[in-house]
Structures are given as C-alpha cells and as structure tokens.
Amino acid sequence: MNLVTLLVAFPAAGSLLAPIGAMRGRATAAWTAALSMAMSLGVLAVLLPSVLAGNVMEYRRPWIPHMGWELAFRLDGLSLAFCAIVFAVGLLVVLYAHYDLPRTDRLGRFLGLLLLFAGAMTGLVLADDLLLLFVCWEATSLVSFLLVAYHGESQNARRGARLALIVTVAGGLALLAGLLLLGHMSGTHRLSEILGKGDVVRSHAHYALVLGLILLGVFTKSAQFPFHFWLPAAMAAPTPASAYLHSATMVKAGVFLLARLFSALSGTSLWFALVAGVGVATFTVGAYTALFKHDVKELLAYSTVSHLGLITLLLGLGTPLGAVAAVFHVLNHATFKASLFMAAGIIDHEAGTRDMRLLNGLWFCMPYTALLATVSAAAMAGVPLLNGFLSKEMFFAELLHQEGPGALRHVLTFAAALAGTFSVAYSLRFMHGVFFARPWCEPPRRPHETPAWMKVPVTVLTSVCLLVGLFPDHTVRPILNAASAAVLMTPPPDYSLALWHGLTPALILSAGVMAGGVVLYAFREPLFRFHDEHFPPWTGGMIVERLVEGTIGLASRFIRQLHNGSLRRSLALLLAWTALLGVLAFVRSRTALLVPVPLSSLDAPTVVEAGLIVIATSVAVLSRSRPLPAILNLGVTGVVVTLAFVRFSGPDLVLTQIAVEMVFTVVLLLILFFMPQEIPSVISRARRGADVFLALVIGVGVAAVTLGVLTRPYAPISDYFLRVGKPLAEGANVVNVILVDFRGLDTLGEIAVMAIAAVVIFGILDGVRQHRVLSGFPLESRSKKVYPPILAQISRLLMPLALSVAVFLFLRGHNRPGGGFVAGLVAATIHILLHMANGIEWAQARLRFRFIPLIAAGLLLAVLTGLGSLFVGHPFLTSAVVHGRLPLIGHWEITSALAFDLGVFGTVLETLLLILVRLGRLSVGPNRVPHPKESRGEVD
C-alpha cells in the first residue's frame, strides 16, 4: 500500500477502534488513539527526508472516471508541515484528554471523533483533486460540529456548534461553486496542474467571481472578519477539542487553502485588496476584543482570530517573503496556542473557573503550570528568544518593505502596529492577571498542580516554542523551506532567521509595539470602562441567531398555513402541483404526445389482470373509512400486481413483491391495534367533487405520459446488462448484478435511508410509549391472551425451515432469483409469524438484540466492501470474483458482492425487526418498565 494513503488510513481506523477499546477501559481507548496518531507520525517521519529533498509523494486512483475526478493524494512541503501539526499536536491532545475529561464522559466517543477529524483534516491537506478537497473540507465542519456539541446537555455547546456549522457550511457552499468554476477555467480538476496555470486563471473573465467565492469559503472557515464570531462561541467545546481544532487544525484549513492556491490566485490588486484588507481588519478587531474578555478561553479564542488575521494579511501582501512568514507563523501559532489552551484547561480543572477576575496569584499554587503558560503567552506576544518573536519580526519587516501607494502602506503598518500593541496587552493580562496579580483570592476550589502526565503535552509544546526561538536554523528551517517552496512553486527567496539583525526598522517597530502594549495594560481600567460604556454587547453570533430564529419562525408560519395536519390536503397539493408542472412542460415542449407506432394486441390474461387491479384498487378506496378492510384490499392489490410480474417473467420482482406485501400487511395490522375500528369521514360534496376531478386528472395524465413514453422508439438498457452481466460481474441473475454491482451505489444509498428511517422510527415509537405511560393512557397487556397452540407449535417448527430458505435465497441471488433484500424479507416474515402465533411477550423475550448497532454493522459492511476495491486500485464498489476447485465439490466461485449483499440482508432484517419489536412494546402493559438499555436499541 502507498505510504501516503496510510496517513489518512491510520486516523480513520483509529476512529473506529478507539470507541471499541473504550469497552475495556479509558486507558485502552487512549492507547488506541495514541497509537493511531503515533503510527501516522511514524509514516510521516519515513517520508520526511524525501519531501525535504524536494520530492513529491503521490497516490492516484480513478474515483469518477467519466467526469475526471480522482482519489488523489499529494504530499509536498506544505502538506508535510500541516500533517506534522495534525499528528504531533493530535498525539499530545490525546494524552491530555485522557486526564482532562471527567471519568463520567465517554472518552472513547470523544477520541473516535477526534481521530475522525484528524483523518478528514489530513485528507484535506493531502487532496490533489478539487472534489476530494471539498469533501474533506465539509467533513471537518461536520465532525467539528460533533466535537463542539460533545456535551449536548449544555445549551452553550449546542448553540456554539450550531453557529459554527451554519457559518462554515454556508461558506463551504460558496467554496464548492468557486472550486468547480476554477476547474472549468483551468481545464482540469487536478490541483497540482491548476497551480501551474496561474496566468490562465488570473486572466480569465471569471477570475473575480471565482476569487470571491473561494475567499468566502476561506474567510468563514478561518474565522475572518466579519465571520469571526463563530469561533468564540465554539469555546463551549471540551478543552482538548479547543486545543486541537481551534489552535492547530480546523481554523487553519482556510489559511491552508489560501497558501495552497497562492501561486494560482495571488498577484493581482483584487487579491491584495480583499485578502490583505480582511486580514488586517481581523487582526485588529480580534486583538482589540480579546483584551476585554474575562474568560480565559474566550480571550484565547479572540487572540486566535487575531493571529489568523495576521497570517491572512501576510498572504494577502502577495510577496514571496510574505508567504514564507505566513507559513512560519502557522507553525509557531499552532505550538504556543495549543499549549495555552491546554494550560487554560488545567486552570479550569484545578480552580473550577476560567474567569480571570477570580484567578489571581496562581503562581503560588501552580508554579510549574504558571511557568509553562507564561512562556507560551510570551511567545504569543512576540517576546525575543521565542518562536513568536521571529515570525512577528518577519511580518513587520515585510510590511515595512511593502511596495505600493505610500498612504496604503502607512495605513496597513499603523493598523498592524495597533493590533500588535493590543496583542501584547492581552498577553500581559493573561500572564499577570492569572498568575501574578493581587494576592491569591478564593476561586470555587483551591487549586494545586495537576498530575505530571497532564502537563507533559504543555511542556513539550512550550519547549518547542523555546527551541525554535533559540535554534531556528536547526529546528524549523528545513520544513519552512520545503513548505514555502510548495506555496510559491519556486525555491523560496533568501531570508534570515537570526536572532539579531541589527537595529532595523522592524526591530524598532517591534520594540515600540511591545512598549505600547505594556503601557496599554497599565492603563487598562479606564480603557475597560470606556469599552463597556460605548460598545454595545451585540456580537455577530447574536445577529445570526436572531436571523436563524426569524427564518425558522417565518417558515413555521408558512408551513402552518400550507400544512394543517391533513394528509388529504397535503396529497392534494402535491398532486395538483405535479399536474400543473406536467401540463406546462408538455405545452412548452410543443411535441405530439403519441407517436404512431404499431401496438401489440390485447390478450385475455392481460385484460383480466388489468381488470383485477382496477377492481381491487377501487374496493380499497371505497373501504378507506374502515381500516381493516382497506388494509386487506391493499394487500390484494399488491398480489394482483405480482401476477403482472409473473406475466412478464420477472421472478426477482415476484419474490420481492410477495415478501413486501406480506411484511407490509402484517405491520399495518399491528398498527391497526392502536387505531379505531372505523374512521369517520365527513366530506362536503364540493370537496368530494374536487377530489374526484383531481384523481381523474392525475390518472389520465399518468396514463397519457406512460403511453407517450412507450410509443416512442428507444434502445432499452437491458440489452447492455444482459450482454455484460456475466462477463464483467460473473453473475447470471442480471437483476441482482445490477443491484449489487452496476448500481451498487444506489443500493448503498437505499439501505442508508433505511437505516436512518430505523433510527427515526425507534425514536418515534419510544416517544409514543413514554407519552402513553406518562399521560396515564391505558396500555392493554396481551400477556394473558390465549394463542392457538397448534399455530404456535407449527410456527416454531417453521422457524429453521424459513431461515434455511432465507439463506438459500441469499446464496443463490447472484446467479438465480434471490438476493440479500428478499432473504431479509423472508427472515423477517417468520419472525412476524412467531409474534402473531405465540404472543408479543413470548417472542420479544427471545429477541434480546441491540438492533441499532446491528443495523449500523450491516451498513458498515456494505461501505467497507466498496472501500476494499479502492485499496486495490479500482473504483468504489467494484466487485472481485475468486474461482477454485475442491475435491467432491468441484468448481466453485465467490464474489465480493456477496459481502455487500450480506450488508443489505442485515440492514433490511434488523430494520424490520426493530419496527416489529417497538410496535409490540406499545401493547405491553404498564407493569413492564422499560430497561435502560432500550434507549440504546436493546430489547428486554
């Protein structure tokens, strides 16, 4: 296997194994997650010398070949730097989370999500295909939503997660449009080729549109002004998630994309105006706001916003040295900010609060933690001998040497200096206000040093800040050179990482900023009063929340007017709109409905079948007010339709239709137990006439369209599948081959919908039962009902026979009528018979399964079958066939589609059993109290 793919595979595998390891204890989950990160870091170390030497490691496989999409990963200097951040910081965060999260939290779930995010982020930075990049981009947003909302019982966590998802996903939609247009402009979806076509992209008529769409996605992802408000709201996430997502990875995705597309999009006045303008605004607003925040994590969140603005500003300058400084500050910020977030978590863990107005003099209680946090905060402020100072001095030097109008250069320099002054001030507030201010006051609990292992990640990151600051040429220069070359697509210009360059303008500006920050902090009290008096408490998050609430309210009022709970009205509106759109389409097409072609003659069986269908359907409609006859007549209609399939030689359809009708009818009969025996129907004559008219319009319209389609010449696709089914898929049953091979992706989507429906049905029926119990509604118990003993015994004897038939249908499906779907229906049918013949309590006492995990296992098996083909270089869900010969048995063959079909079988069977069991529990008497495990899908 290509080593580059292992960088994504190890975290992805760890995301599945960590929750499983948690069953054996927290330590097992932590070791599993740490091993996944360490193995990825080890693979990266193996590839490091080659990438630093200027080589590029690639992995390419067709994904959607006819559209030119690839599953393409590319490891160059830039992706190497970001992968190092993802895995190194991730490994430290795993260790930190093991000690930080309470024992009541589900550590396995948290680490599984963390590793899933690491895999998505790694795929993002390695992606060399535009669609793959977008998929990974959105995956990071979705997983970060789950991490921020990890404590779902907290309203702040739910609000922060929702706000982050709304902003980042909305920007992601703009990014998708921009990436598709970029691929169209450059004539390729391969990112590495697009980077070499910068002149073509910049000279294109749609350059401004593409740049605006991509920047919208970048700015929302990296919390740039005015979209920065989601990041402070996301501080409701657990501290390990904040240390990982909001310092090192998630928020860096936007600036990564800026750096990745630098050579293709930069170098224009529009790039400078948009990117540099938004960057300097974010740098200033974030630094100013951070000074006035009392919560430690909120201060660090706004400081992250500010530093992301600094990086964006450097890239917006459009100069080679600006790009080098931006990459350097990405690396530096990841180290000192992750360290500070972990230190904030330690403070909260020990003192019970993050409010800096209560945290004073902690140096005397937690000297080691105070030392680590002080060094990291000094790096954030840009104090000499630390890594932050080097990148900040490069920033000032490049800003002062910026070419362009003098007024604009002065404005940028002044704004950057002002933002730098506030950065020093809020860094001082963190250091002095928490550790060195007035003598220690009483927080919620008396703090003390944490266990040594919890401080190891902070120690490592702080040591990196110091080592890079003292020995930059020996620590960071090789990676910085490789990453900068990947950004610029040329060797980087000469630059110096020396600690002393003499008395340069950049050093003077840096010293002035440092002194200004000290003065600003010294006079902070009047500034705080001024801020509180003149700046309203409104934030962008509040505005978005109000907009969301208003939109939901407007939609609710519209829905109440449109949908009043009447199924008849909803169906009438749906059919009326369908008829209207159909008529408009036909009128605008200006084509004849019927084409004169010779029609086949009618025969007696066809006429009889059509008559039976009409009669059965009419009887079902006329008996709609009486549920039992209506259900039975619907079943009869289905059986008659089955005869049509028999008539046209569709054995697979016959088996499926019969099984579906059996299951559907019995489930409806179970539901009928909770419905009145007769439903009164009072309909006015006008309404009845309108219903008849609409039914006639729809019926005649569908018949006319069907006749119009069938009378036109067409080439049936069945000929293709009949011709290639056996040679390509090694299957004689074309229907099954289509379902599990040619159209396997459709089938995967269908069972995914079925799995989602199962979860929804579980929640609805469980809620109905709880409502009936809490409201005092009488629940009739069937435990004392008498069931026919002969039928009970026969059903038990039929159980192994029916399961054997299901296995037989499953195994023969690839070459004869059958398959996983039909087999699942047959297996469910015998369980339904057992319920009816022996009673609900008897049957459910023997169905002690956790259905939802089993449904998930079936869906996962189908997905893994498709992924297996990717690892051997074939498109997703490509089947493989193995032939062999055994003594006595002779020739045998087995296909990988059998595993996919097994996933279909499991999903169908477990979904139907879940519905059956949950319906049965509704009729269990109130003396049966639900077991707590039922909330997880387990049945007593």
Side-chain angles (χ1 to χ4, degrees):
M1 180 179 291
N2 190 293
L3 290 179
V4 176
T5 61
L6 294 179
L7 298 175
V8 181
F10 282 143
S15 68
L16 300 175
L17 296 177
I20 297 175
M23 298 178 183
R24 301 182 61 88
R26 289 169 57 91
T28 304
W31 274 107
T32 303
L35 183 62
S36 299
M37 288 290 193
M39 293 174 68
S40 300
L41 199 59
V43 173
L44 194 66
V46 172
L47 299 173
L48 179 66
S50 178
V51 177
L52 293 183
N55 299 318
V56 175
M57 317 298 292
E58 293 184 344
Y59 172 84
R60 300 186 184 280
R61 285 294 182 270
W63 185 12
I64 310 177
H66 65 281
M67 295 184 65
W69 303 108
E70 294 179 310
L71 187 67
F73 297 117
R74 185 172 182 269
L75 181 67
D76 60 4
L78 182 63
S79 51
L80 172 74
F82 275 84
C83 284
I85 294 174
V86 170
F87 299 138
V89 177
L91 179 60
L92 297 175
V93 168
V94 168
L95 175 60
Y96 177 83
H98 176 59
Y99 292 95
D100 179 74
L101 293 180
R103 291 193 172 273
T104 54
D105 282 7
R106 291 179 290 173
L107 181 63
R109 176 175 176 267
F110 176 83
L111 293 178
L113 290 174
L114 196 75
L115 286 164
L116 186 60
F117 178 87
M121 188 69 192
T122 305
L124 169 63
V125 301
L126 291 175
D128 194 36
D129 183 90
L130 293 180
L131 183 60
L132 179 62
L133 185 147
F134 175 75
V135 170
C136 295
W137 179 281
E138 290 300 288
T140 58
S141 295
L142 293 176
V143 181
S144 67
F145 167 80
L146 297 175
L147 285 168
V148 174
Y150 178 72
H151 292 133
E153 68 280 0
S154 168
Q155 183 178 359
N156 288 334
R158 297 194 302 271
R159 174 183 173 273
R162 183 174 63 249
L163 200 60
L165 187 68
I166 290 173
V167 175
T168 56
V169 169
L173 292 176
L175 177 67
L176 175 61
L179 292 178
L180 292 177
L181 285 174
L182 179 62
H184 176 72
M185 289 163 50
S186 55
T188 178
H189 298 133
R190 186 172 292 184
L191 195 54
S192 55
E193 295 180 0
I194 293 174
L195 299 181
K197 298 183 177 182
D199 294 336
V200 175
V201 173
R202 288 186 292 269
S203 61
H204 199 279
H206 294 154
Y207 167 74
L209 175 61
V210 170
L211 180 62
L213 291 171
I214 291 176
L215 290 182
L216 190 59
V218 167
F219 292 159
T220 53
K221 193 77 163 184
S222 284
Q224 297 296 291
F225 180 84
F227 309 106
H228 62 286
F229 50 83
W230 71 262
L231 182 55
M235 290 301 105
T239 300
S242 297
Y244 194 52
L245 273 64
H246 305 138
S247 67
T249 53
M250 167 77 171
V251 292
K252 296 294 196 323
V255 293
F256 164 79
L257 190 57
L258 272 184
R260 175 60 80 195
L261 297 175
F262 183 84
S263 62
L265 298 178
S266 67
T268 64
S269 57
L270 184 61
W271 168 276
F272 176 79
L274 292 177
V275 180
V278 171
V280 73
T282 307
F283 185 25
T284 307
V285 171
Y288 173 82
T289 309
L291 180 61
F292 302 99
K293 297 301 175 182
H294 303 299
D295 185 289
V296 174
K297 281 185 69 175
E298 200 168 0
L299 181 149
L300 294 177
Y302 276 102
S303 74
T304 298
V305 170
S306 179
H307 282 268
L308 290 171
L310 187 155
I311 298 168
T312 303
L313 173 57
L314 281 168
L315 291 169
L317 297 178
T319 61
L321 283 177
V324 174
V327 174
F328 192 19
H329 199 69
V330 166
L331 299 172
N332 291 336
H333 179 262
T335 55
F336 64 67
K337 189 55 64 68
S339 173
L340 287 170
F341 269 116
M342 292 182 191
I346 291 175
I347 294 169
D348 187 22
H349 188 272
E350 296 302 322
T353 181
R354 300 195 304 260
D355 193 333
M356 287 185 286
R357 293 168 293 188
L358 301 177
L359 298 170
N360 301 295
L362 292 188
W363 175 276
F364 303 100
C365 306
M366 309 166 64
Y368 188 75
T369 301
L371 176 63
L372 297 175
T374 300
V375 173
S376 297
M380 179 170 64
V383 174
L385 303 183
L386 297 170
N387 59 352
F389 169 76
L390 296 174
S391 54
K392 187 182 74 171
E393 190 176 16
M394 290 180 68
F395 164 63
F396 284 139
E398 187 59 23
L399 201 61
L400 291 172
H401 289 88
Q402 173 67 26
E403 297 180 359
L408 180 60
R409 185 172 66 251
H410 294 324
V411 169
L412 285 179
T413 303
F414 173 77
L418 182 63
T421 301
F422 277 102
S423 299
V424 174
Y426 67 66
S427 299
L428 279 173
R429 188 184 180 204
F430 176 82
M431 291 185 286
H432 181 260
V434 175
F435 299 109
F436 301 101
R438 300 180 302 272
W440 174 78
C441 62
E442 195 71 34
R445 54 178 179 261
R446 186 176 181 84
H448 55 80
E449 287 289 3
T450 58
W453 282 105
M454 190 173 180
K455 292 177 290 193
V456 166
V458 189
T459 304
V460 171
L461 292 169
T462 304
S463 301
V464 172
C465 295
L466 190 59
L467 289 173
V468 172
L470 293 175
F471 311 105
D473 287 321
H474 299 88
T475 54
V476 75
R477 179 181 280 276
I479 294 180
L480 184 57
N481 284 340
S484 302
V487 173
L488 300 172
M489 298 296 289
T490 59
D494 293 333
Y495 61 93
S496 174
L497 296 179
L499 299 179
W500 176 255
H501 300 93
L503 196 61
T504 61
L507 182 61
I508 295 173
L509 181 58
S510 181
V513 165
M514 192 71 63
V518 174
V519 173
L520 189 63
Y521 179 70
F523 293 94
R524 63 190 179 279
E525 296 299 336
L527 189 61
F528 279 16
R529 289 194 296 269
F530 175 82
H531 176 81
D532 294 338
E533 292 174 1
H534 294 86
F535 286 85
W538 282 90
T539 63
M542 295 179 182
I543 296 174
V544 171
E545 286 286 333
R546 291 292 181 89
L547 289 175
V548 171
E549 291 174 1
T551 304
I552 293 175
L554 181 63
S556 299
R557 287 193 295 272
F558 177 75
I559 290 174
R560 283 195 297 270
Q561 295 294 326
L562 185 67
H563 177 63
N564 60 357
S566 171
L567 181 61
R568 179 193 298 270
R569 180 177 180 179
S570 300
L571 188 60
L573 289 173
L574 175 63
L575 294 177
W577 274 107
T578 303
L580 179 61
L581 294 176
V583 170
L584 289 177
F586 175 71
V587 171
R588 295 187 61 183
S589 65
R590 298 181 180 180
T591 58
L593 178 61
L594 301 179
V595 177
V597 295
L599 301 178
S600 58
S601 59
L602 292 175
D603 54 5
T606 303
V607 174
V608 171
E609 289 172 7
L612 289 176
I613 291 176
V614 172
I615 294 172
T617 306
S618 301
V619 172
V621 171
L622 293 175
S623 61
R624 67 189 183 281
S625 61
R626 291 174 296 167
L628 179 58
I631 292 173
L632 295 178
N633 286 320
L634 283 176
V636 172
T637 304
V639 172
V640 176
V641 172
T642 304
L643 296 178
F645 295 148
V646 173
R647 172 76 174 80
F648 294 103
S649 302
D652 281 279
L653 297 177
V654 172
L655 287 173
T656 304
Q657 182 72 17
I658 290 177
V660 167
E661 288 300 328
M662 292 174 60
V663 174
F664 180 72
T665 302
V666 174
V667 169
L668 285 181
L669 290 174
L670 288 174
I671 296 174
L672 186 61
F673 176 76
F674 308 101
M675 295 177 62
Q677 294 184 0
E678 188 167 345
I679 302 175
S681 178
V682 181
I683 305 174
S684 64
R685 291 197 175 191
R687 179 64 181 272
R688 191 184 302 275
D691 289 347
V692 171
F693 174 75
L694 182 60
L696 288 174
V697 170
I698 293 297
V700 173
V702 171
V705 170
T706 304
L707 186 60
V709 170
L710 294 178
T711 56
R712 278 169 167 75
Y714 64 94
I717 60 174
S718 57
D719 294 339
Y720 168 78
F721 291 115
L722 289 171
R723 184 174 65 255
V724 303
K726 185 65 176 178
L728 294 183
E730 297 284 347
N733 182 6
V734 178
V735 174
N736 185 264
V737 166
I738 293 174
L739 292 176
V740 301
D741 195 314
F742 292 110
R743 303 297 295 271
L745 190 60
D746 290 349
T747 305
L748 180 62
E750 290 165 3
I751 63 172
V753 171
M754 181 174 287
I756 295 171
V759 175
V760 174
I761 291 170
F762 171 81
I764 291 175
L765 295 181
D766 192 59
V768 169
R769 187 180 193 280
Q770 292 180 12
H771 174 72
R772 289 163 66 90
V773 172
L774 295 176
S775 61
F777 192 86
L779 293 173
E780 180 185 354
S781 178
R782 294 183 171 186
S783 58
K784 296 182 180 180
K785 289 185 178 295
V786 178
Y787 294 90
I790 296 178
L791 180 60
Q793 294 300 321
I794 292 176
S795 66
R796 298 176 196 180
L797 291 174
L798 287 176
M799 177 72 173
L801 177 61
L803 293 180
S804 300
V805 172
V807 172
F808 173 72
L809 290 174
F810 169 75
L811 293 176
R812 78 195 296 261
H814 205 60
N815 291 289
R816 296 289 185 272
F821 188 80
V822 176
L825 292 173
V826 172
T829 302
I830 187 59
H831 285 87
I832 293 174
L833 179 61
L834 286 173
H835 273 69
M836 297 177 63
N838 298 275
I840 291 174
E841 293 189 0
W842 181 93
Q844 293 192 7
R846 290 155 178 80
L847 282 177
R848 297 178 176 271
F849 302 116
R850 300 175 64 180
F851 293 114
I852 291 180
L854 289 174
I855 293 171
L859 185 60
L860 180 63
L861 176 60
V863 173
L864 291 177
T865 304
L867 291 176
S869 60
L870 290 178
F871 288 104
V872 294
H874 293 282
F876 184 65
L877 281 174
T878 302
S879 295
V881 182
V882 178
H883 296 267
R885 181 171 294 276
L886 291 174
L888 302 179
I889 297 178
H891 177 266
W892 60 270
E893 66 179 37
I894 187 169
T895 174
S896 62
L898 189 68
F900 180 84
D901 218 10
L902 181 61
V904 175
F905 169 80
T907 304
V908 171
L909 174 61
E910 301 303 330
T911 298
L912 293 174
L913 289 181
L914 183 141
I915 296 172
L916 179 66
V917 169
R918 300 314 299 179
L919 282 174
R921 289 202 64 83
L922 287 178
S923 63
V924 175
N927 57 319
R928 291 284 304 277
V929 179
H931 193 277
K933 292 182 179 179
E934 290 181 355
S935 62
R936 301 193 299 269
E938 184 172 350
V939 178
D940 289 340

